[in-house]
């Protein structure tokens, strides 16, 4: 089993895909997706383009869809919600499809959607991601952070490190596919007992604090609190792994 970490979608190899790709956007897309599916959403459908989201979601009855749009951390006008996992309550999500477009996370998922297996990982569902990998033993794994508009982000790298660290503990034959794996694990081991503190240093964490999203930061920096694992059923559509 060989693991490679890429800090942004733009840094992934231009040719070929792994057996398994794990897309990460801790703040907040993949945290929101996992929470929505745990709360009973029928599926999550991702878009990088808001116009395409609106056109596709029009084909669904209003009582069977929710539109989530976020740009720059703020809700896109005309959407039912932004990108907060705290809005994903069972009474709101139950039986509906969440159509979502965000600044970074949905772009990351689109980049890796041709992989044989595509998962959405976050700190809150780290154990579910690791459990799936250990059970299915894919030979090659990419852990891809969403970053922020093409640049490095602390929160996605520490999550990649949390996943890689747990896999290396439970599977001694894990091989490091690039140096970024070593760096990500080192970041996680340094900050594993104060993940919220780390996120307060992160540029996107500070951006969300300015938008009064402190409760989102506290929620998204919990680890292993959710057993829901979003897995791609068809390109762009994720469901809860059973």
């Amino acid at each position: 089993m060989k693991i490679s970490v890429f800090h942004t979608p733009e840094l992934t190899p231009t040719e070929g895909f792994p057996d398994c790709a794990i897309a990460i956007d801790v703040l907040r897309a993949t945290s929101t997706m996992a929470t929505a599916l745990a709360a009973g959403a029928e599926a999550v459908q991702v878009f990088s383009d808001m116009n395409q989201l609106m056109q596709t979601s029009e084909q669904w009855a209003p009582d069977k869809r929710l539109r989530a749009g976020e740009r720059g951390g703020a809700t896109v006008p005309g959407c039912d919600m932004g990108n907060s996992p705290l809005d994903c309550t069972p009474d709101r999500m139950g039986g509906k499809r969440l159509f979502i477009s965000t600044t970074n996370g949905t772009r990351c998922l689109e980049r890796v959607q041709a992989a044989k297996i595509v998962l959405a990982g976050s700190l809150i569902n780290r154990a579910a991601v690791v459990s799936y990998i250990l059970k299915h033993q894919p030979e090659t794994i990419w852990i891809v952070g969403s970053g922020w508009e093409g640049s490095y982000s602390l929160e996605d790298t520490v999550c990649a490190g949390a996943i890689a660290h747990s896999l290396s503990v439970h599977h001694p034959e894990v091989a490091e596919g690039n140096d970024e794996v070593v760096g990500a694990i080192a970041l996680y081991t340094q900050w594993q007992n104060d993940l919220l503190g780390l996120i307060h240093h992160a540029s996107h964490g500070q951006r969300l604090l300015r938008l009064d999203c402190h409760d989102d930061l506290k929620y998204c920096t919990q680890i292993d609190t959710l057993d829901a694992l979003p897995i791609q059923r068809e390109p762009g559509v994720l469901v809860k792994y059973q």
Side-chain angles (χ1 to χ4, degrees), residues 9-80:
E10 293 80 5
L11 292 173
T12 56
T14 55
E15 294 183 2
F17 287 92
D19 295 319
C20 178
I22 305 164
I24 296 172
D25 186 3
V26 171
L27 299 177
R28 293 165 287 173
T30 55
S31 300
T32 296
M33 293 171 193
T35 304
L37 292 172
E42 170 263 334
V44 175
Q45 190 161 350
V46 302
F47 299 84
S48 58
D49 181 81
M50 276 302 308
N51 290 329
Q52 186 180 3
L53 181 154
M54 291 296 185
Q55 292 171 8
T56 303
S57 61
E58 277 295 325
Q59 301 168 22
W60 290 68
D63 63 343
K64 293 295 183 182
R65 72 177 184 226
L66 283 169
R67 293 163 169 162
E70 171 267 319
R71 291 294 183 271
T75 302
V76 174
C79 289
D80 302 299

Side-chain angles (χ1 to χ4, degrees), residues 7-168:
H7 296 310
T8 68
E10 293 80 5
L11 292 173
T12 56
T14 55
E15 294 183 2
F17 287 92
D19 295 319
C20 178
I22 305 164
I24 296 172
D25 186 3
V26 171
L27 299 177
R28 293 165 287 173
T30 55
S31 300
T32 296
M33 293 171 193
T35 304
L37 292 172
E42 170 263 334
V44 175
Q45 190 161 350
V46 302
F47 299 84
S48 58
D49 181 81
M50 276 302 308
N51 290 329
Q52 186 180 3
L53 181 154
M54 291 296 185
Q55 292 171 8
T56 303
S57 61
E58 277 295 325
Q59 301 168 22
W60 290 68
D63 63 343
K64 293 295 183 182
R65 72 177 184 226
L66 283 169
R67 293 163 169 162
E70 171 267 319
R71 291 294 183 271
T75 302
V76 174
C79 289
D80 302 299
M81 57 182 282
N83 190 22
S84 173
L86 301 181
D87 290 335
C88 299
T89 56
D91 60 321
R92 194 173 197 185
M93 294 289 142
K96 296 179 182 177
R97 176 166 295 203
L98 180 64
F99 296 86
I100 185 170
S101 180
T102 71
T103 307
N104 303 294
T106 49
R107 189 182 77 255
C108 181
L109 279 159
E110 286 195 345
R111 172 66 189 94
V112 300
Q113 67 182 12
K116 295 177 184 177
I117 301 165
V118 177
L119 309 174
S122 56
L123 290 168
I124 57 175
N125 75 340
R126 189 271 305 258
V129 172
V130 170
S131 176
Y132 179 93
I133 296 297
L134 293 174
K135 179 179 179 180
H136 294 277
Q137 300 280 319
E139 185 174 338
T140 54
I141 302 166
W142 290 0
I143 308 178
V144 185
S146 297
W148 175 262
E149 297 184 341
S151 62
Y152 175 95
S153 68
L154 280 171
E155 65 275 8
D156 293 342
T157 301
V158 79
C159 182
I163 293 169
H165 178 266
S166 185
L167 286 172
S168 66

